[in-house]
Amino acid sequence: MDCTFCHLIHDDAARWVARGPVASAFAPLNPLAPGHTLVIPTAHWADIFDVPPGDLAHTMALVQQVAAAMRTALKATGVNVLNASGPGSEQSVPHLHFHVVPRWLDDAFSTWPTKRSRHHIADDPVTQLADAMPATHTR
């Protein structure tokens, strides 16, 4: 498989924040902020649509642990958790990953979108989503 993140895991070629059998965390090459960390499932899963729920739960638990460490070790006053999944999302590496970006009140940058989507859906999108949810999730 030709996956950048899988190669990092196999070759032990990253600056690891945490390594585990199900989820791992490492520093990106070009961090957005001091301490910016990528959290990934250790096994190769392309995106949020591909990953089994158990691996996603472990990965998100590590996201939460990394965020907590940012608050204590780096004195971050908040974090942004960013993910892009699928071809329409600008996903840069086809291995599920979450950017955990520490934030401070005076950091002078924004990770929040500044524009709204131009895409339109004919019917009510909230109703369509609610109708598409499994029966176990009631309104």
Side-chain angles (χ1 to χ4, degrees):
M1 176 173 297
D2 193 30
C3 171
T4 302
F5 293 166
C6 288
H7 286 293
L8 290 175
I9 292 166
H10 180 266
D11 298 339
D12 196 23
R15 292 191 61 209
W16 298 105
V17 172
R19 288 197 72 178
V22 181
S24 298
F26 62 95
L29 292 177
N30 297 304
L32 295 173
H36 175 181
T37 301
L38 296 177
V39 178
I40 62 172
T42 304
H44 181 83
W45 302 108
D47 54 36
I48 198 84
F49 307 107
D50 189 34
V51 64
D55 282 10
L56 180 59
H58 277 91
T59 304
M60 292 309 296
L62 185 53
V63 165
Q64 187 178 42
Q65 292 168 356
V66 168
M70 288 173 173
R71 186 164 38 178
T72 58
L74 305 178
K75 307 298 184 229
T77 56
V79 298
N80 287 120
V81 178
L82 309 168
N83 168 260
S85 283
S89 70
E90 301 178 26
Q91 183 177 2
S92 59
V93 177
H95 186 124
L96 178 63
H97 58 286
F98 296 91
H99 294 261
V100 186
V101 183
R103 300 295 304 271
W104 297 268
L105 293 174
D106 61 351
D107 62 14
F109 85 102
S110 176
T111 56
W112 203 257
T114 59
K115 296 182 181 179
R116 296 196 183 273
S117 175
R118 294 183 301 202
H119 187 80
H120 295 284
I121 295 178
D123 295 322
D124 177 31
V126 175
T127 300
Q128 289 178 325
L129 287 172
D131 291 345
M133 293 299 293
T136 57
H137 295 278
T138 59
R139 291 185 240 180

